[in-house]
Amino acid sequence: MYLASTDAVAKAKAKTKPEAEAVPEGAAEAKAEGKAKRGRVAGPVIALGAVSLVTDISSEMVTAVLPLYFVLQLGLSPLQFGFLDGLYNGVTAFVRLLGGYAADRGGRHKLVAGGGYALSALSRLGLLLAGGATAGIGAALAADRIGKGVRTAPRDALISLSSPPDTLGRAFGVHRAMDTTGALLGPLAAFALLWATADAYNAVFVVSFCFGLLGVLMLVAFVPGRHDATLVAATRREPSTTKRGRVVDLLRIPAFRRVLGAAALLGAATIGDAFLYLLLQRRLDFAVSWFPLLPLGAAAVYLLLAVPAGRLADRVGRRVPFLAGHAALLGGYVLLLCPTDGLPLLVGVLLLLGIFYAATDGVLMALATPVLPRGRRASGMAVLQTGQALARLVAAAGFGAAWTLWGVGPALTCAVLALTVALAGAALLLPRTGSLQNPERQA
């Protein structure tokens, strides 16, 4: 029986406060493990996956048309787009830390995540009100990214607290597969709207807002909150040395430092999806109206492989799939350098990009979970996501500058060399499975 099932929720709410606090240390996790012994994914994970699916339809509808709007319609240079793309993904770096810290205080994961989802939904109205003004559009995009930054760590912490340690890869894989379903449908909806309305971007923004609002309502209705007995017990029953410490104190955990270092190193060599799509459009010279459909190929591969990659990570260790996913991304860069053209180039790059995300996105969170104390999960994941976001900001700006100054060929060559070096460094940094034990004792 899952945590989010009707009976379980009713029983949890029926417990008095003294009874909930009387749970022995470790009993909450043992209870959660017992519920997932049959290999099923916990109810809260499914509910969060549904929320992410709807929200991703909303966000990807906008994301799919941004490169066209900035580069092809506004005529920005690759350098300018590099900074904007990095801002779009890195502006929330420090907001993530605040969101993670706020979520860990009292187990307010659902409340903080809900605020982030609501802010992202409202940002669609900001795009409508901006009326094409660059400042207004920038503010709306910043609000969207702030919302995403606030919600991501608490959401992932909820997933980790709802799942036993030996099924974390599968749990994150299922969530990411549902999330990616939204990413698959979002660009398709944007393409259909642009085609039906003769490139009316406002129609995209209106429908995107409606989906974002639906995601908030689903979170409120179906995701267990802070009063769920199992989650509250899980966040309260950790040693006092980590309960009230600062976020920076997480860096005292050696294994977490190594995971963070590897993620940041690899992030600094990741140039960003938008650049890959622009390079494909440049090489293949297809009609720009097809551009919003490019993410569909990578999203389809991600959707198909996210759960198998999570299961594999649970069996062989999360380190190997994480590195292999970045090796696939390296293959995509190399393919863009080769004289390959036409359909083989398109399919190859999108396939490798999808493999990259399937083997790294949820797997990284599953890799970090065992090295973080239960009561600091959101804070730790926020630190990890912040490091990765800042590194990708540097990568996006650096690649844009290299493209502008030297041209596409030299810029891609530099990206290949950088990712090769980063892979070698990450392989040395990432801890082995045996070192991912007892994080409370290391804090």
Side-chain angles (χ1 to χ4, degrees):
M1 183 181 296
Y2 295 119
L3 186 62
S5 64
T6 304
D7 292 341
V9 172
K11 291 178 182 178
K13 290 182 177 179
K15 289 185 178 180
T16 62
K17 183 176 180 181
E19 290 174 336
E21 292 180 348
V23 179
E25 183 171 347
E29 275 197 340
K31 183 179 179 181
E33 291 177 14
K35 290 176 181 178
K37 279 183 177 179
R38 296 183 180 179
R40 305 180 201 172
V41 175
V45 178
I46 301 297
L48 286 165
V51 172
S52 293
L53 188 156
V54 173
T55 303
D56 237 38
I57 293 176
S58 171
S59 62
E60 291 302 322
M61 287 181 67
V62 175
T63 302
V65 301
L66 284 182
L68 282 176
Y69 184 76
F70 285 137
V71 175
L72 301 180
Q73 183 166 326
L74 296 184
L76 299 183
S77 71
L79 175 59
Q80 291 171 311
F81 178 72
F83 279 109
L84 283 174
D85 184 58
L87 175 66
Y88 188 71
N89 291 286
V91 70
T92 59
F94 297 105
V95 178
R96 295 172 190 265
L97 300 178
L98 295 176
Y101 178 76
D104 281 335
R105 288 184 62 85
R108 296 185 292 238
H109 301 87
K110 176 180 176 179
L111 178 63
V112 175
Y117 280 111
L119 182 58
S120 291
L122 291 175
S123 72
R124 311 297 184 246
L125 295 181
L127 288 171
L128 284 171
L129 297 175
T134 304
I137 292 174
L141 293 180
D144 176 56
R145 293 299 92 184
I146 289 172
K148 182 175 177 61
V150 166
R151 73 179 184 251
T152 302
R155 180 204 65 198
D156 285 349
L158 277 172
I159 294 173
S160 72
L161 291 170
S162 302
S163 308
D166 60 346
T167 62
L168 283 169
R170 176 180 295 183
F172 279 104
V174 168
H175 174 269
R176 293 320 196 249
M178 297 180 72
D179 182 84
T180 306
T181 301
L184 189 67
L185 296 175
L188 189 60
F191 172 78
L193 280 171
L194 289 177
W195 177 79
T197 60
D199 296 338
Y201 286 93
N202 284 349
V204 175
F205 300 151
V206 169
V207 176
S208 174
F209 167 72
C210 293
F211 274 105
L213 183 60
L214 177 60
V216 174
L217 295 177
M218 290 175 64
L219 179 78
V220 173
F222 300 115
V223 176
R226 62 174 293 184
H227 297 295
D228 182 273
T230 302
L231 296 185
V232 171
T235 56
R236 287 180 178 175
R237 302 296 178 180
E238 81 278 351
S240 59
T241 56
T242 63
K243 188 173 182 179
R244 296 183 180 179
R246 299 169 299 172
V247 170
V248 72
D249 291 339
L250 291 167
L251 299 179
R252 296 178 181 176
I253 304 174
F256 179 69
R257 286 201 306 268
R258 295 165 74 89
V259 173
L260 175 62
L265 182 62
L266 289 166
T270 304
I271 65 175
D273 301 354
F275 273 122
L276 295 181
Y277 299 145
L278 286 171
L279 289 171
L280 282 173
Q281 198 278 334
R282 180 189 180 100
R283 285 277 300 273
L284 301 178
D285 195 27
F286 51 77
V288 296
S289 59
W290 294 97
F291 190 90
L293 295 180
L294 283 179
L296 294 180
V301 176
Y302 186 6
L303 174 62
L304 292 173
L305 297 182
V307 176
R311 290 178 176 174
L312 179 65
D314 288 335
R315 292 177 183 177
V316 305
R318 288 131 197 175
R319 178 178 179 273
V320 174
F322 184 69
L323 293 173
H326 283 88
L329 181 64
L330 177 62
Y333 294 174
V334 171
L335 191 58
L336 283 167
L337 277 174
C338 294
T340 310
D341 211 342
L343 189 61
L345 176 64
L346 177 65
V347 173
V349 171
L350 296 181
L351 175 64
L352 291 169
L353 185 60
I355 293 173
F356 161 67
Y357 278 114
T360 60
D361 190 10
V363 172
L364 176 60
M365 296 299 104
L367 180 66
T369 293
V371 306
L372 292 168
R374 292 190 301 276
R376 306 298 304 280
R377 292 276 172 85
S379 297
M381 290 178 176
V383 171
L384 182 60
Q385 292 158 3
T386 296
Q388 193 175 53
L390 289 175
R392 288 181 174 176
L393 169 61
V394 173
F399 183 79
W403 184 353
T404 300
L405 296 174
W406 305 328
V408 146
L412 265 177
T413 301
C414 289
V416 167
L417 293 175
L419 187 52
T420 301
V421 173
L423 266 171
L428 295 175
L429 279 173
L430 283 176
R432 303 282 179 175
T433 303
S435 64
L436 304 180
Q437 304 297 330
N438 299 322
E440 289 88 351
R441 296 182 182 178
Q442 304 177 58

